[in-house]
Amino acid sequence: MNKAFVKETDNDDDEDGAPQAPPIPPGSKNYITPAGYQRIKDELLQLIDVERPEVVKVVHWAASNGDRSENGDYIYGKRRLREIDRRIRFLTKRLDLAAVVDPSVHHGSDQIFFGATVTYAKPDGEEHTITIVGIDEFDPLHGKISWIAPVARAITKAREGDTVTLRTPTGVEELEILEVSYPAPA
């Protein structure tokens, strides 16, 4: 097989293929909950302590077998090493930029800040419950939205019973804040 078919491009180590972090508004910090910070830290340690050493062993073994140009274990092992290293760099940068905010300091408050779990009603009566979290921990399917999301920005600093205006591409909506809660201090 010709090396041209198996050789990776020269820019495989570049950041072009790296996961792009959601943009942080200029002048803002990368807010994150303690649980989100711990999750990222755990993933980073798993990559450094477990996955990377295993792949290095496979690549070392494959390299000792001789011809590397047609050695699938070697080629794909090296590619996986680049992916792992790219993810390690990404996670390290995210942890360096993180500002850990404990939402339990607002326990008992009815005003909306980072970490709040909020139930709001749309004009048609449809209710939604969301939790405002960091950009690295949002999960819309489980009701976790980023603090930079339009809904989160619209309701921040509002209180239970307030009506806030949300501007969307389809028009303006009025949201009524029904309930605000925070986790209890540990």
Side-chain angles (χ1 to χ4, degrees), residues 37-100:
Y37 185 86
Q38 188 61 47
R39 184 186 53 76
I40 292 174
K41 188 176 174 184
D42 290 345
E43 180 183 352
L44 179 62
L45 292 175
Q46 170 73 14
L47 287 172
I48 292 171
D49 296 338
V50 179
E51 289 187 40
R52 193 174 194 291
E54 288 175 4
V55 175
V56 167
K57 284 180 190 174
V58 170
V59 170
H60 177 73
W61 169 81
S64 69
N65 288 339
D67 184 15
R68 297 177 185 170
S69 65
E70 295 183 14
N71 187 331
D73 288 329
Y74 179 81
I75 293 168
Y76 295 114
K78 292 292 281 186
R79 181 175 293 153
R80 179 68 183 135
L81 271 178
R82 280 193 300 278
E83 291 169 359
I84 290 171
D85 289 342
R86 191 175 299 125
R87 183 70 180 164
I88 287 171
R89 282 191 306 274
F90 173 77
L91 294 174
T92 302
K93 286 177 186 176
R94 299 309 281 180
L95 289 175
D96 289 345
L97 296 173
V100 180

Side-chain angles (χ1 to χ4, degrees), residues 99-114:
V100 180
V101 177
D102 186 2
S104 66
V105 299
H106 296 292
H107 183 71
S109 174
D110 69 341
Q111 192 170 15
I112 302 171
F113 295 108
F114 180 84

